[in-house]
Amino acid sequence: MVVIDRSKLNSGENKAVVVVRSSNGSSEMNVIAIGEETTMPTLNTLATTNITFSTATFNGEIITDGVPPYDERGFVYSTSSMPTLENTIARLTCTLTSSKEFSFNAKELTHSTTYYVRAYAKNSRGVAYSTNEIKFNTPIPLPDVKTLDVVNADFSEGTATFRGEITFAGIPPYTERGFVYGTLPEPTVNDNKVVANGAGETGTYSKYMTGLPKNTYYVRAYAIAKSGIVYGEEKVIESKWIEIPSAGIAVQKNDLGNGYWETADAMCNNSTLGGFTDWRLPTKEELMVLYNNRNKIGGFVKDFYWSSTSKDDYYHWFVDFRNGGLSYNPPTNSYYVRAVRSIRK
C-alpha cells in the first residue's frame, strides 16, 4: 500500500516511480498524484484606535483565507518599519472567530514613541503579512485632573472654596496647578486664574476664594504640564435667582410657597438665599415685570401672586399669572409668593 500526503506535494501533477523488489525480481510502477493547490492568506492592517501613552488597540482584517485556511492570526509591532515575527516586540495572537476583522488591545507601550504594526496570518505553508503597516505615536502622559464640588459658596460675600484633585501627575510631572473660573462656560487660564500650591504632587487640593461673581459662574481645576494644559470637568455654581437689570431687581427662580399677605411678606424678609438678607415682596410694578418675563424666569404657577403694594390701609395688590390681570384683595386671601431684591441698574 502506498500512502500519499497531498499537503506535502507540489500543487498540480506530481509523478513518481515506485520500484517493487522481491526474490522473483523487481518491477516498476508509475504513480501520478495531484497535489493540493496552496495559497497564502491576504490581510490588511486597519487604523490603530484608542491610543493612550501606554495602550492602543490594533485592528486588522482577513481579505482571503488562503489554502489551506489560516490557523493563527494576530499582530506584530516594532519601533522599526515593516515588523515580522522575527523582530516583533511581542507576538500578539488573536482568537479565531468567523469574523474577518480582528483586534488586540496592546499594553505596556512606551510613551512618546513611534510604533509600526502589521497584521499577520499563518497556515501550513507559512506566514503572511499585510502589505501595509500602520504607524502611530503614543503621546506624552498628561496629568489626570478632576474638579471637585465647590463648597461654602456665598454669593452675597463673593466667597467659596474651590476643590480639585490630581490623580496622576503626568510624565514629566506638571509644574503648576490651580483653578480657573468665569461667568461663561469652559473658562481657561486666559480668564480668571488662581494658582494653588503643590506642583507635581498627587491628591486633593483647595483654595479659599474671595471676590467671586455674585451670580452664576463656572469653575475648572487645571494643571500645566510640559506638553500642554489639562482641565478638569466643569462645575457650575448656579445662583437660584435671575437678574433683570432693566428693572433693577433680582428674582428668585422658585416660589417660596403661598399664604396670607403677612405670611408672604415674612417669607420674603426671612429668605437668605445666596447669603443675601434683603429679599422682599415685589411692588405691583415689579410683579408685572415678573409676569412679562415669566417664561424666562420660570417656575410660576397659573395663579395669583402677592405684591408688597397696598391700595389703602387694608387691601393689597396682586397679579393673576393666568392673564396678567392686576387687582387687589384683602390680606387674608392666600396667594403665591416670589421674592425679589434690588440691584444696581
Side-chain angles (χ1 to χ4, degrees), residues 45-342:
T45 305
L46 305 176
T48 300
T49 56
N50 304 321
I51 300 170
T52 73
F53 68 89
S54 63
T55 63
T57 301
F58 299 162
N59 303 289
E61 63 177 345
I62 301 292
I63 306 301
T64 60
D65 291 350
V67 180
Y70 65 91
D71 55 16
E72 180 181 314
R73 64 183 182 183
F75 299 94
V76 290
Y77 68 105
S78 175
T79 55
S80 301
S81 182
M82 304 304 283
T84 66
L85 286 173
E86 284 68 41
N87 64 4
T88 185
I89 294 173
R91 181 174 184 164
L92 307 179
T93 303
C94 298
T95 302
L96 297 179
T97 68
S98 59
S99 175
K100 295 294 185 181
E101 295 187 357
F102 55 101
S103 300
F104 194 98
N105 295 321
K107 300 178 180 179
E108 299 182 358
L109 302 179
T110 302
H111 67 83
S112 314
T113 301
T114 300
Y115 287 99
Y116 302 84
V117 58
R118 283 205 295 173
Y120 81 90
K122 181 176 175 293
N123 66 8
S124 59
R125 184 178 174 184
V127 180
Y129 300 95
S130 65
T131 56
N132 71 316
E133 66 179 358
I134 296 297
K135 176 183 176 181
F136 70 96
N137 297 300
T138 51
I140 297 174
L142 291 170
D144 186 10
V145 182
K146 295 182 179 180
T147 309
L148 303 180
D149 290 337
V150 173
V151 297
N152 301 323
D154 188 328
F155 284 97
S156 66
E157 297 295 332
T159 59
T161 299
F162 293 172
R163 301 164 59 242
E165 183 178 11
I166 306 290
T167 57
F168 174 66
I171 302 175
Y174 68 92
T175 56
E176 179 183 305
R177 69 181 180 181
F179 302 95
V180 293
Y181 67 95
T183 55
L184 295 176
E186 298 184 355
T188 71
V189 293
N190 297 318
D191 297 305
N192 300 294
K193 184 184 81 166
V194 56
V195 179
N197 293 330
E201 297 180 6
T202 58
T204 60
Y205 64 100
S206 62
K207 192 77 172 180
Y208 177 72
M209 300 293 299
T210 60
L212 295 173
K214 295 190 176 182
N215 211 324
T216 299
Y217 58 92
Y218 303 83
V219 180
R220 293 199 291 180
Y222 79 90
I224 298 178
K226 181 179 180 181
S227 54
I229 303 173
V230 181
Y231 296 97
E233 64 274 24
E234 182 176 87
K235 297 293 184 180
V236 182
I237 313 307
E238 187 173 12
S239 62
K240 296 181 180 180
W241 63 88
I242 290 178
E243 293 186 351
I244 307 177
S246 61
I249 58 172
V251 54
Q252 295 188 10
K253 293 181 180 179
N254 297 296
D255 293 338
L256 292 177
N258 57 27
Y260 302 149
W261 186 89
E262 287 188 1
T263 302
D265 188 52
M267 286 181 184
C268 295
N269 293 336
N270 292 332
S271 177
T272 58
L273 184 66
F276 296 102
T277 59
D278 56 348
W279 294 105
R280 56 178 174 78
L281 269 176
T283 65
K284 65 179 175 47
E285 292 80 12
E286 290 170 340
L287 195 55
M288 286 303 302
V289 172
L290 302 191
Y291 174 78
N292 292 329
N293 290 274
R294 62 192 181 282
N295 293 330
K296 176 182 177 181
I297 300 168
F300 291 102
V301 296
K302 293 181 178 181
D303 211 322
F304 302 146
Y305 281 81
W306 278 124
S307 83
S308 63
T309 308
S310 60
K311 180 180 180 298
D312 49 35
D313 292 338
Y314 185 67
Y315 292 95
H316 285 80
W317 291 93
F318 67 91
V319 171
D320 186 345
F321 268 63
R322 294 173 297 184
N323 53 30
L326 179 64
S327 188
Y328 52 87
N329 258 338
T332 52
N333 287 22
S334 183
Y335 296 155
Y336 282 89
V337 184
R338 185 67 66 98
V340 300
R341 55 182 293 270
S342 299

Side-chain angles (χ1 to χ4, degrees), residues 9-47:
L9 299 178
N10 294 324
S11 60
E13 187 176 84
N14 294 261
K15 295 181 180 180
V17 177
V18 177
V19 178
V20 180
R21 292 186 175 87
S22 69
S23 57
N24 296 325
S26 63
S27 61
E28 296 181 352
M29 178 175 60
N30 293 321
V31 177
I32 298 175
I34 305 301
E36 296 177 342
E37 180 181 359
T38 59
T39 59
M40 296 300 293
T42 57
L43 308 92
N44 183 35
T45 305
L46 305 176

